[in-house]
Amino acid sequence: MFKKVLVAEDLDSISIAVIQVLEDLKIPTIHHVKYCDDGLLRIKKALVENAPYDLVISDLSFKSDHRKTVLSSGEDLIEAINAVQPSLKKIVFSIEDKSYRIKSLFNDLNINAYVSKGRNSINELRKAIEGTFKGEEKILSSDLSFSFNDKTLIEIESYDISILKLLAQGYILENIASEFKSSSITPNGTSSIEKRINKLKIYFKANNNVHLIAIAKDFGLV
Amino acid sequence: MFKKVLVAEDLDSISIAVIQVLEDLKIPTIHHVKYCDDGLLRIKKALVENAPYDLVISDLSFKSDHRKTVLSSGEDLIEAINAVQPSLKKIVFSIEDKSYRIKSLFNDLNINAYVSKGRNSINELRKAIEGTFKGEEKILSSDLSFSFNDKTLIEIESYDISILKLLAQGYILENIASEFKSSSITPNGTSSIEKRINKLKIYFKANNNVHLIAIAKDFGLV
DNA sequence: TTTGTATTTACGGGTTTCCGTAAGGAAATG
DNA sequence: CATTTCCTTACGGAAACCCGTAAATACAAA
């Protein structure tokens, strides 16, 4: 079984249960951080001390408080981890249940398992830890109904998300175009962006931009 | 200390920690339900058996799944409780940190304490339980920064919410006006509605309608 | 009733979205 | 090299918005 595990979870009420599972599994070294920044620090430190972690269990959303942070979400943390220790096994334990977001965790961030916080999630978490140790891939807790084959939301790509994000921040077409130009995201003509928004509106059956953003918010896309 | 406590919380990862607190406090009878409906049932049963609960600790949001439910949220549950056993002490333990929603819990649903799930919430929960037992009123976990006096969001009324809801559904000004006319909501001239939207934009510092709805979604207003 | 005030509605022009059409350019095919 | 196809960009008119001002209405006080 795993020898050294890091838990990144801000809610104490949840971390207690997660740590209990790890103790039940006789993991010798269990560390727990409440902020993403601390998590990355620990992992880097373990690397230089030649005693790296072999599993990380992370939440996705972290409450923001008085403390200034660089990494503000589980996604940020995992991305940072992938830069320093890509071989580290990663399990995400979160309330999120939108298929699009979970798929991108597997595809873009290369996580090993996703467990959705729910009515029977502690069992699921234990199974995911054991499965990850055995080398199983793309483990998904059983209460998640979607499959990796369904095409829903798969064709929404990061380009679309960028547009939606800027729209949600009050940008007008022209601003989005110049923003894209300065970030060298392409295509960046107002017309192309307009067309892409139009596709999104058709896809989500939205009457107008306002409607579109409301739907995007509901889907957790922005 | 309390003798009989009911915990309504769907996430097993959290209920474990809550129950642990109650056990530490030597509560003799602790019951736990994962659905609001079950919670109400238990409370009614305890009443007819002449062994009523003296405290309920409830979450606000419950995941929906295959099971059909009558009560779908903590608010629903507490409202139902107030109908059958208004004297029952009520503590809400939730991730919600929007001041106007919490205020309405105290003012409309008459709860005794609110504890926000956070990095040190188990301690806060314990203090809230003890405080409630001693008869303290309107207990608020200390990480919540707002006070009951600040006017923020208090002046947003149901009329504004109606407008925001319709905007989020893709209605244009004209549609909103006629919708209001047929529901005899007044004022219902396009111009008046426009002006009201403008006030909201100033209030929330939104650049345009799209931005406004994005913000409203973030605040949980729609 | 009259006056004053505040709220609601109407109006207008400038901006942005909305939506169709078409021009320009790059890559692929033959 | 010519043609096709796809993608990006440009353009233009109608609809909806944004925002200020002015007229109409409602309502309370004198």
Side-chain angles (χ1 to χ4, degrees):
Chain A
M1 183 44 66
F2 291 112
K3 294 275 169 284
K4 191 171 179 183
V5 178
L6 180 67
V7 177
E9 168 67 64
D10 56 343
L11 302 190
D12 55 356
S13 38
I14 289 180
S15 59
I16 288 174
V18 174
I19 290 170
Q20 214 167 74
V21 170
L22 293 170
E23 284 171 349
D24 286 354
L25 289 170
K26 314 280 184 210
I27 311 278
T29 312
I30 303 164
H31 290 152
H32 168 222
V33 291
K34 296 181 176 181
Y35 294 87
C36 292
D37 288 350
D38 296 346
L40 183 60
L41 229 58
R42 288 259 191 166
I43 285 166
K44 282 182 176 171
K45 188 155 170 279
L47 272 177
V48 299
E49 288 175 353
N50 217 22
Y53 290 94
D54 44 13
L55 176 67
V56 59
I57 300 174
S58 178
D59 190 9
L60 285 183
S61 80
F62 289 74
K63 280 200 163 189
S64 59
D65 56 16
H66 52 91
R67 182 169 152 177
K68 283 256 178 199
T69 58
V70 179
L71 309 170
S72 61
S73 72
E75 282 99 335
D76 289 349
L77 173 60
I78 293 171
E79 212 176 324
I81 290 174
N82 284 339
V84 297
Q85 189 185 350
S87 64
L88 180 55
K89 304 273 185 180
K90 297 168 283 285
I91 296 177
V92 173
F93 185 50
S94 165
I95 191 95
E96 180 67 59
D97 56 5
K98 298 290 183 332
S99 64
Y100 159 79
R101 295 197 64 187
I102 297 173
K103 276 175 190 165
S104 90
L105 292 174
F106 284 101
N107 298 333
D108 304 335
L109 295 180
N110 198 33
I111 68 169
N112 300 91
Y114 185 90
V115 180
S116 154
K117 287 173 185 166
R119 294 190 169 81
N120 192 32
S121 51
I122 290 301
N123 255 327
E124 298 283 346
L125 181 61
R126 179 195 303 259
K127 283 197 288 183
I129 295 169
E130 290 168 340
T132 301
F133 185 71
K134 285 183 202 149
E136 293 173 26
E137 289 186 342
K138 293 199 178 186
I139 302 172
L140 212 55
S141 60
S142 57
D143 58 329
L144 290 169
S145 50
F146 74 91
S147 98
F148 275 97
N149 303 323
D150 70 3
K151 288 276 194 286
T152 326
L153 282 173
I154 211 108
E155 58 261 38
I156 306 287
E157 29 180 307
S158 66
Y159 180 74
D160 301 281
I161 307 290
S162 303
I163 294 177
L164 291 171
K165 281 222 172 90
L166 293 176
L167 273 179
Q169 286 170 38
Y171 282 58
I172 65 172
L173 272 180
E174 213 180 310
N175 297 146
I176 296 177
S178 45
E179 180 68 30
F180 278 8
K181 268 165 200 142
S182 62
S183 312
S184 56
I185 295 174
T186 160
N188 51 37
T190 57
S191 193
S192 300
I193 296 168
E194 209 174 343
K195 273 205 166 10
R196 197 62 165 254
I197 293 174
N198 209 32
K199 272 189 188 166
L200 289 169
K201 279 192 288 209
I202 292 167
Y203 186 88
F204 286 114
K205 303 191 210 317
N207 298 339
N208 51 42
N209 283 359
V210 177
H211 197 188
L212 178 64
I213 288 304
I215 293 170
K217 281 274 178 193
D218 287 339
F219 273 92
L221 293 174
V222 287
Chain B
M1 182 46 67
F2 292 112
K3 293 274 170 286
K4 192 172 179 182
V5 178
L6 181 67
V7 178
E9 168 67 62
D10 56 343
L11 301 189
D12 56 355
S13 38
I14 290 180
S15 58
I16 288 173
V18 174
I19 289 169
Q20 213 168 74
V21 170
L22 293 170
E23 283 170 350
D24 285 354
L25 289 170
K26 313 280 183 211
I27 310 279
T29 311
I30 303 165
H31 290 151
H32 168 221
V33 291
K34 295 181 178 182
Y35 294 87
C36 293
D37 288 352
D38 297 346
L40 183 61
L41 228 57
R42 288 259 190 165
I43 285 167
K44 282 182 176 170
K45 188 154 170 281
L47 272 176
V48 299
E49 287 175 351
N50 217 21
Y53 290 95
D54 44 14
L55 174 69
V56 60
I57 299 174
S58 178
D59 190 8
L60 285 183
S61 80
F62 289 75
K63 280 199 163 190
S64 60
D65 57 15
H66 52 91
R67 183 169 151 178
K68 284 258 179 200
T69 57
V70 180
L71 309 170
S72 61
S73 72
E75 282 99 335
D76 288 350
L77 174 59
I78 293 170
E79 212 176 325
I81 290 173
N82 285 338
V84 297
Q85 189 186 349
S87 64
L88 180 53
K89 303 273 186 180
K90 296 168 286 283
I91 296 178
V92 173
F93 185 50
S94 165
I95 192 94
E96 179 67 61
D97 55 5
K98 297 292 180 332
S99 63
Y100 70 96
R101 293 196 68 184
I102 297 173
K103 278 177 190 166
S104 88
L105 292 173
F106 283 101
N107 297 334
D108 306 335
L109 296 179
N110 199 32
I111 69 170
N112 300 91
Y114 185 90
V115 180
S116 154
K117 287 173 184 167
R119 294 190 169 83
N120 193 31
S121 51
I122 290 301
N123 255 327
E124 297 284 346
L125 181 61
R126 181 196 301 261
K127 282 196 288 182
I129 295 169
E130 291 169 340
T132 302
F133 184 71
K134 286 184 202 148
E136 293 174 25
E137 288 185 343
K138 294 199 178 185
I139 303 171
L140 214 54
S141 61
S142 56
D143 57 328
L144 290 170
S145 50
F146 75 91
S147 97
F148 276 98
N149 303 324
D150 70 4
K151 288 275 193 289
T152 326
L153 279 174
I154 216 103
E155 59 261 37
I156 304 288
E157 28 180 307
S158 66
Y159 180 75
D160 302 280
I161 306 288
S162 304
I163 293 177
L164 291 171
K165 282 222 170 90
L166 293 176
L167 273 179
Q169 287 169 38
Y171 283 57
I172 64 173
L173 272 179
E174 213 181 310
N175 297 145
I176 296 177
S178 44
E179 180 67 30
F180 278 8
K181 267 165 201 143
S182 62
S183 310
S184 56
I185 296 173
T186 161
N188 51 37
T190 58
S191 191
S192 300
I193 296 168
E194 211 175 342
K195 270 202 171 10
R196 197 62 166 253
I197 293 174
N198 209 34
K199 271 189 189 166
L200 288 170
K201 279 191 289 210
I202 293 168
Y203 186 87
F204 286 113
K205 304 190 209 317
N207 297 338
N208 51 42
N209 283 358
V210 177
H211 197 187
L212 179 63
I213 288 305
I215 294 169
K217 282 274 178 193
D218 287 338
F219 273 92
L221 292 173
V222 287

